[in-house]
Amino acid sequence: MKKLFIAVLLVVGITTFAQEKKHSKGERQKLSTEEKVDLQVKKLTDDLSLNEKQVNEVKVLVAKQIEKREAKKSEMQGLKEKDKEEKKALFEKRKAEMKKEQEEVSVEMKKILTAEQFNKWEKIKEQKKENLKERMAKRKGKRGKMN
């Protein structure tokens, strides 16, 4: 009986570890632009309790944002062949452009949202920024241990 129990445990253990990870790096689900827009608008609608008029306006704004982001992403893919100093200059330029775009989005969102919704949106943005900083710090820590 003990041997049967141990064999069952072994089989269950082996099959559990043999399962694939669904969301490993590089295997993320590729979403279309429309799906990205819908997902982001739905999240904002849930978080900020947007009305129909606001949903439509935010959808247009988010669609523009995502299109710009995807265009810049493909542009940045071409930088792999460039030399280090040229890359650095382009990254600095891109960073300044991103900051300007973020300010423009904030101005547009302020026009669309109520004061209370806008404040909540700002807090959500800050929280996301903090989470990103933490994740990047963890990544750097892992890389440092590997080298």
Side-chain angles (χ1 to χ4, degrees), residues 10 14-16 18 23 44 52-53 62 70 72 75 83 92 108 112 114 116 119 123 126 132 137 139 146:
L10 262 171
I14 291 171
T15 57
T16 303
H23 299 290
L44 285 171
E52 282 300 312
K53 182 182 178 211
V62 168
E70 288 177 349
K72 291 293 181 183
E75 179 184 314
D83 68 352
E92 292 299 320
E108 289 297 316
I112 296 170
T114 64
E116 184 180 318
N119 289 334
K123 287 178 186 174
E126 287 300 316
L132 179 65
R139 268 186 172 175
M146 289 179 175

Side-chain angles (χ1 to χ4, degrees), residues 2-25:
K2 285 183 181 178
K3 290 181 181 180
L4 180 62
F5 182 70
I6 292 173
V8 169
L9 279 176
L10 262 171
V11 169
V12 170
I14 291 171
T15 57
T16 303
F17 288 113
Q19 300 291 324
E20 280 186 42
K21 284 186 178 181
K22 289 185 178 181
H23 299 290
S24 64
K25 187 177 178 182

Side-chain angles (χ1 to χ4, degrees), residues 25-38:
K25 187 177 178 182
E27 292 182 13
R28 290 190 186 147
Q29 186 180 14
K30 302 284 185 202
L31 298 176
S32 68
T33 304
E34 296 82 27
E35 290 171 326
K36 289 177 186 177
V37 170
D38 290 340

Side-chain angles (χ1 to χ4, degrees), residues 23-92:
H23 299 290
S24 64
K25 187 177 178 182
E27 292 182 13
R28 290 190 186 147
Q29 186 180 14
K30 302 284 185 202
L31 298 176
S32 68
T33 304
E34 296 82 27
E35 290 171 326
K36 289 177 186 177
V37 170
D38 290 340
L39 191 65
Q40 196 167 351
V41 169
K42 184 181 183 309
K43 177 113 176 80
L44 285 171
T45 302
D46 292 344
D47 290 345
L48 303 174
S49 305
L50 302 177
N51 62 35
E52 282 300 312
K53 182 182 178 211
Q54 289 174 322
V55 168
N56 293 331
E57 291 174 349
V58 167
K59 196 172 199 170
V60 170
L61 182 63
V62 168
K64 286 179 188 175
Q65 238 184 326
I66 289 175
E67 286 174 11
K68 282 182 184 177
R69 192 177 312 134
E70 288 177 349
K72 291 293 181 183
K73 185 178 177 183
S74 62
E75 179 184 314
M76 296 304 268
Q77 293 294 328
L79 292 181
K80 291 181 180 178
E81 297 82 37
K82 306 224 180 221
D83 68 352
K84 210 172 194 178
E85 292 192 19
E86 191 176 354
K87 267 189 199 180
K88 190 172 184 176
L90 288 170
F91 280 122
E92 292 299 320

Side-chain angles (χ1 to χ4, degrees), residues 90-128:
L90 288 170
F91 280 122
E92 292 299 320
K93 179 183 171 194
R94 175 70 182 126
K95 193 174 181 180
E97 288 174 4
M98 283 174 48
K99 189 168 186 153
K100 183 181 172 201
E101 288 173 10
Q102 287 173 352
E103 290 170 2
E104 290 171 0
V105 168
S106 287
V107 168
E108 289 297 316
M109 288 297 274
K110 195 167 195 168
K111 291 176 185 175
I112 296 170
L113 302 175
T114 64
E116 184 180 318
Q117 289 172 326
F118 184 75
N119 289 334
K120 190 172 182 181
W121 180 71
E122 288 281 311
K123 287 178 186 174
I124 291 169
K125 266 184 20 180
E126 287 300 316
Q127 185 62 43
K128 284 182 179 180

